[in-house]
Amino acid sequence: MTSTHALSDLPRAALRGVLGVAIVGLIWEALVWALNVPSHTMPRPSQMASAVAATPDAYLSGFLRTLVETLIGFAAGAIVGIGNGVLFSKFTRLRQMVFPLFVVSQTIPVIAFGALVVLWFGNTMLAKSVIAFYLTFFPVTVNTLVGLQAVNPKQEALLRSFGASRWQMLIRLQLPTALPQIFVALRLASTLSLVGAIVGEWFGDTTGLGVLLLQAMYNENMVGLWAAILASALLGTTFYGLMALIERTCVFWRNDL
Amino acid sequence: MLKRRLLLAIGCTLTCVGLGFSSIAAAQDMTKASLRLKWLPQAQFAGFYVAQAKGYYKDEGIDLTINPGGPNVLTENLVAAGTDTFGLSGGTDSVFAARDKGLPVISIGISHQLTPFVFVAKKDGPVKTLKDFEGKNVTTWFTGSNYVLFGMLADQGIDQKKVKIQPQQVSVTPFVDGDVDVVTATWYNELNTIKSRVPEDNLRLFVAEDYGITFPRDTLITSEKVAKENPELVKAFLRATLRGWKDAINDPKGAVDTVMAVAPTLERPHQEAMLTEAARLMEAGSAKDNGLFTIDMAAVQKAHDFLLKYEVVKKPVDLKAAFHPEFLEAIPLSDRKL
Amino acid sequence: MKSRSWQSADVYWGVAGAVLLVVLWEGAVRAFDLPAYILPGILEILVSMVDLQSTLMDATWMTVMEAVSGYVIGSACGILLAVILTLIPTLKRWCLPAAIAINSVPVVAYAPLVLLWFGMGAESKIVMVSLAVGFTVFLSALTGLDQANRKSIDLLRSFGANPLMIIWRLKLPAALPLIASAMRVSTTRSMIVAIVTEMLGAYGGLGWVIYQATLQIDFVQVWAAIFAASLVSLIFFGAVSMIERKVIFWR
């Protein structure tokens, strides 16, 4: 019932999104025009559109490149993050030893190590995905762990009394219970993996939305900067929306519990 | 046990021989090499892209990859570690700093013979002379240009503490809006941005050379290892680079086309202006007589002594070990001059 | 009693993990004779931290002030916005996609705009941190507020509770674990965003130190500044986790 509702909701939500964007765009255009704002403070959407139209290949190839890096980093981060969460919930000692180090790892601004990232991972697409992974796995680990720890001990005892193995407990009870929490992290991770891919592209790359952003930023090309920001927003929103959709179809039983 | 060890030894030998053969085979057709730029693709580096697009590196037997730079991607670091074969590094100052910190990099050529920085004020503003900097808001990058500023102030006997010197951000907007009285620009980049927003005849420029300071920048570097083991590669790289730059300077429109093919979102007029200014800095000074990329040891010495005085360089750098003009000098002067 | 011994075990094993890492790191540096531009030795970094302590202390203090101010503002705004949007579902349907779109652009992309609008001082860093933290907390809080048991809501409503009471009594408590975990994750992010913004333009702070040291090719100093940042982030993370444990205990 809920899942079909989610699916039929999709076109309507998409339509609402497009409509919203169009309205915001029109108001933006009108305001900038009416208030005579100089384009280096706030360019008009039509200027951005023509900037994209002037070099569509650069934006398209940048978009696709960043998309692939994001997806690889996200997938790796999600798998490792959930795996870590499960391991940490099973082996307390491991959690006590490694978790603080994970926290430490998250406090390091990768951007400070531009040269080291190239040095260690080269100029490949892998290097970008590694950064996307690096930003992604931690929130997934935290939420998986929190979700697993929230499992009702009475239910666990009940299942165990029926002779459920550890694996069955995990698949049948613990992971499903943790799923809402995990999905929250995955949604956050979808955004963070994009951030990672974009920042990764700042370390000496030639294609990608990050390259476009950086180039526009330092050339004070405000129209180009906004065009790149909007392209990233499109990628991020689509990815996030897809994750939210998957979440709704997967966690539909949540309210029935 | 013994047998296994023997097998292992044979295996190793075979692998080594195989590797040897394959590297010889590679050397016969193409040598792989990379050039790390100091920043993203733009007309400042046009000559390298032209040389690559026209196959000049291939002609010399080099399969060259041009890697762009980025924020905190330190060229000196990557060349020292061997990740990149060649690099276009910050400037003479970064070569000093790298040698000071024990990085095994050497300079094989200098691109910009003059100080690339210029200090800009508005003619209708309060700053008429360098003396007027006192008590005014001056922004500069703390990445080398600040020392040029200190030197210029010292030349005029001005106490730098009396000047409100602040770090400069990416944008020149604070200067355009009048929040800042003097802004730092490079001749080839920010000055063009400023000109597009403030009428050119309302700009007053303070040029380092007028105050006896020359700060050569954009140095070509390689590692001591490459220079020692493969001097021919270094010469071949320089030959192809010189050809590319000569073409770029003689045909700036075509060169900007080549750069725009690499980075299509750049703005063409800005890039053309950039190339004009970059070429001017490259052809100036000692390059007039000695050709592009010449290492003017007198200018290098002067920059070195200057930075030593300001304790940017903690102890004197052995300039003979750091700057190697011999690779360039092996190329006939006629090939180096325009 | 039991919870205290559990905490001290956490500390012991955490320290053990850290010691293991230090030994591996220092061992690798010595065994492979790595130069400082690839990886400096950990002892060298610690010595440099002592040498540079006054510089690092000033810089850390500045960055922490920016990060914490932005964190508090961002968290408060995020939760408040989530509550408001939960109360007004129509608004939520319209605002959520916009919020997601803004959030999906890396905050660093806004940095040039924020620096332009708010200047090079602490304000621009606080704005950037609030943005980064605010959206993370907002999205988690919004999901959490949705998680309350439907039957309990209906029950409360049948007793004549108004929407505000339902939020206060039912939805906010249900959302608390999610909000708390978002706030925990945000501690380290707030420090990073402050540092990254400082690297793009500032008068001081750890990001500024890192930027300067990189240009002077002083890798040991870069690492020293990053160690300082990590240490402070850890304390921040620990403090928020402790508060979280207290709050959940009260529940």
Side-chain angles (χ1 to χ4, degrees), chain B residues 318-330:
Chain B
D318 181 357
L319 298 182
K320 280 241 153 35
F323 290 84
H324 290 254
E326 67 266 21
F327 299 103
L328 206 59
E329 283 161 4

Side-chain angles (χ1 to χ4, degrees), chain B:
Chain B
M1 184 66 199
L2 193 72
K3 207 171 164 187
R4 196 198 272 173
R5 207 178 278 174
L6 193 70
L7 276 176
L8 202 69
I10 292 171
C12 277
T13 320
L14 282 178
T15 319
C16 290
V17 171
L19 281 176
F21 271 126
S22 61
S23 71
I24 289 165
Q28 269 166 353
D29 43 64
M30 283 286 166
T31 312
K32 269 199 155 322
S34 63
L35 166 69
R36 175 69 61 176
L37 299 176
K38 65 188 284 188
W39 194 241
L40 299 167
Q42 52 186 1
Q44 185 184 355
F45 318 117
F48 303 106
Y49 284 107
V50 169
Q52 198 191 31
K54 292 195 175 177
Y56 294 167
Y57 291 113
K58 286 229 162 62
D59 294 348
E60 297 284 350
I62 306 173
D63 178 12
L64 189 83
T65 312
I66 300 182
N67 290 321
N72 282 46
V73 175
L74 211 58
T75 311
E76 293 81 5
N77 192 351
L78 292 170
V79 172
T83 306
D84 289 300
T85 329
F86 300 102
L88 186 72
S89 82
T92 41
D93 48 329
S94 21
V95 175
F96 300 147
R99 298 288 301 186
D100 199 28
K101 293 288 179 321
L103 267 67
V105 294
I106 59 161
S107 170
I108 52 170
I110 296 176
S111 181
H112 295 172
Q113 304 293 336
L114 297 180
T115 313
F117 309 118
V118 59
F119 298 89
V120 189
K122 282 186 200 157
K123 277 203 178 137
D124 59 8
V127 176
K128 306 268 183 274
T129 64
L130 204 65
K131 188 82 186 152
D132 295 335
F133 279 30
E134 285 183 1
K136 303 297 187 305
N137 285 319
V138 178
T139 63
T140 192
W141 303 297
F142 279 59
T143 58
S145 65
N146 51 332
Y147 303 115
V148 177
L149 177 63
F150 297 164
M152 286 165 72
L153 294 173
D155 183 71
Q156 293 292 296
I158 300 162
D159 183 1
Q160 68 182 63
K161 287 196 187 71
K162 286 189 185 159
V163 182
K164 288 188 224 157
I165 302 174
Q166 287 174 340
Q168 184 164 318
Q169 66 181 63
V170 171
S171 172
V172 295
T173 301
F175 170 74
V176 175
D177 293 349
D179 299 331
V180 165
D181 301 305
V182 181
V183 73
T184 310
T186 55
W187 286 101
Y188 50 82
N189 196 2
E190 288 78 8
L191 188 58
N192 294 321
T193 312
I194 295 172
K195 279 179 187 167
S196 71
R197 288 165 65 185
V198 178
E200 196 173 342
D201 52 16
N202 190 24
L203 294 178
R204 192 188 301 278
L205 305 182
F206 295 89
V207 181
E209 273 72 15
D210 295 347
Y211 300 89
I213 287 158
T214 302
F215 208 60
R217 291 203 106 222
D218 286 31
T219 43
L220 275 177
I221 57 169
T222 189
S223 65
E224 285 177 351
K225 189 164 174 275
V226 171
K228 200 170 147 219
E229 289 173 4
N230 209 346
E232 289 312 314
L233 175 68
V234 178
K235 286 176 202 161
F237 169 76
L238 285 172
R239 264 196 302 272
T241 302
L242 282 163
R243 279 177 78 191
W245 268 108
K246 281 166 75 170
D247 283 9
I249 292 170
N250 290 327
D251 175 20
K253 285 245 181 306
V256 171
D257 282 339
T258 308
V259 174
M260 299 274 295
V262 179
T265 53
L266 292 172
E267 286 168 291
R268 190 173 185 99
H270 190 84
Q271 295 301 310
E272 284 177 359
M274 179 183 281
L275 183 55
T276 310
E277 280 304 316
R280 186 179 70 80
L281 294 173
M282 291 177 76
E283 294 168 59
S286 157
K288 275 197 284 287
D289 301 321
N290 301 318
L292 297 174
F293 288 104
T294 189
I295 299 178
D296 179 358
M297 280 312 268
V300 171
Q301 182 76 50
K302 225 172 132 190
H304 170 263
D305 295 348
F306 170 68
L307 290 175
L308 197 61
K309 196 174 116 199
Y310 285 96
E311 293 182 343
V312 184
V313 182
K314 299 284 183 297
K315 54 183 187 294
V317 174
D318 181 357
L319 298 182
K320 280 241 153 35
F323 290 84
H324 290 254
E326 67 266 21
F327 299 103
L328 206 59
E329 283 161 4
I331 300 165
L333 185 60
S334 59
D335 288 349
R336 290 183 270 144
K337 282 173 86 166
L338 279 165

Side-chain angles (χ1 to χ4, degrees), chain A residues 82-104:
Chain A
I82 293 174
N84 278 338
V86 171
L87 282 177
F88 285 172
S89 76
K90 301 272 175 217
F91 305 103
T92 314
R93 201 136 293 170
L94 189 74
R95 175 180 63 75
Q96 289 166 330
M97 261 177 100
V98 181
F99 191 73
L101 297 181
F102 276 11
V103 179
V104 174

Side-chain angles (χ1 to χ4, degrees), chain A residues 67-85:
Chain A
L67 175 69
V68 173
E69 291 160 1
T70 307
L71 289 180
I72 296 174
F74 175 81
I79 292 166
V80 172
I82 293 174
N84 278 338

Side-chain angles (χ1 to χ4, degrees), chain A:
Chain A
M1 176 66 199
T2 325
S3 74
T4 50
H5 174 69
L7 285 176
S8 67
D9 217 26
L10 181 70
R12 215 184 306 160
L15 190 72
R16 201 186 294 127
V18 172
L19 207 66
V21 169
I23 293 173
V24 170
L26 275 176
I27 296 174
W28 185 342
E29 181 91 24
L31 269 182
V32 173
W33 180 78
L35 301 176
N36 209 7
V37 182
S39 69
H40 55 83
T41 309
M42 184 61 107
R44 296 199 307 266
S46 59
Q47 287 174 305
M48 297 167 209
S50 57
V52 175
T55 52
D57 288 350
Y59 286 93
L60 190 67
S61 60
F63 191 90
L64 291 178
R65 170 75 189 256
T66 306
L67 175 69
V68 173
E69 291 160 1
T70 307
L71 289 180
I72 296 174
F74 175 81
I79 292 166
V80 172
I82 293 174
N84 278 338
V86 171
L87 282 177
F88 285 172
S89 76
K90 301 272 175 217
F91 305 103
T92 314
R93 201 136 293 170
L94 189 74
R95 175 180 63 75
Q96 289 166 330
M97 261 177 100
V98 181
F99 191 73
L101 297 181
F102 276 11
V103 179
V104 174
S105 81
Q106 294 303 300
T107 61
I108 295 172
V110 221
I111 193 180
F113 289 125
L116 283 190
V117 172
V118 180
L119 209 81
W120 290 345
F121 301 106
N123 266 318
T124 54
M125 213 155 88
L126 179 75
K128 283 76 191 161
S129 298
V130 164
I131 295 172
F133 161 78
Y134 175 83
L135 293 186
T136 310
F137 84 91
F138 183 69
V140 181
T141 305
V142 170
N143 275 30
T144 308
L145 186 61
V146 170
L148 290 176
Q149 283 172 342
V151 173
N152 189 339
K154 274 182 204 148
Q155 282 181 316
E156 276 180 322
L158 184 70
L159 266 187
R160 202 172 287 133
S161 73
F162 277 97
S165 69
R166 290 187 87 154
W167 178 249
Q168 282 172 323
M169 300 259 291
L170 183 70
I171 295 294
R172 292 289 173 82
L173 175 68
Q174 291 156 337
L175 274 182
T177 315
L179 215 53
Q181 289 268 18
I182 295 175
F183 264 108
V184 170
L186 287 181
R187 262 191 288 139
L188 180 64
S190 69
T191 307
L192 287 177
S193 60
L194 174 62
V195 174
I198 286 180
V199 171
E201 284 165 356
W202 289 8
F203 307 136
D205 210 332
T206 43
T207 32
L209 294 177
V211 178
L212 294 177
L213 269 176
L214 197 65
Q215 201 132 43
M217 193 192 300
Y218 279 90
N219 285 331
E220 278 201 64
N221 173 2
M222 283 303 168
V223 177
L225 180 65
W226 276 99
I229 285 181
L230 291 181
S232 319
L234 179 68
L235 207 175
T237 316
T238 314
F239 192 14
Y240 188 96
L242 275 178
M243 280 314 298
L245 185 74
I246 295 171
E247 177 180 359
R248 260 201 270 174
T249 43
C250 286
V251 200
F252 63 88
W253 70 81
R254 194 182 63 205
N255 286 330
D256 310 336
L257 262 177

Side-chain angles (χ1 to χ4, degrees), chain C residues 182-201:
Chain C
M183 283 180 72
R184 205 155 17 115
V185 173
S186 293
T187 51
T188 55
R189 270 199 93 198
S190 69
M191 281 295 287
I192 289 184
V193 170
I195 288 173
V196 170
T197 315
E198 282 169 356
M199 285 172 73
L200 293 171

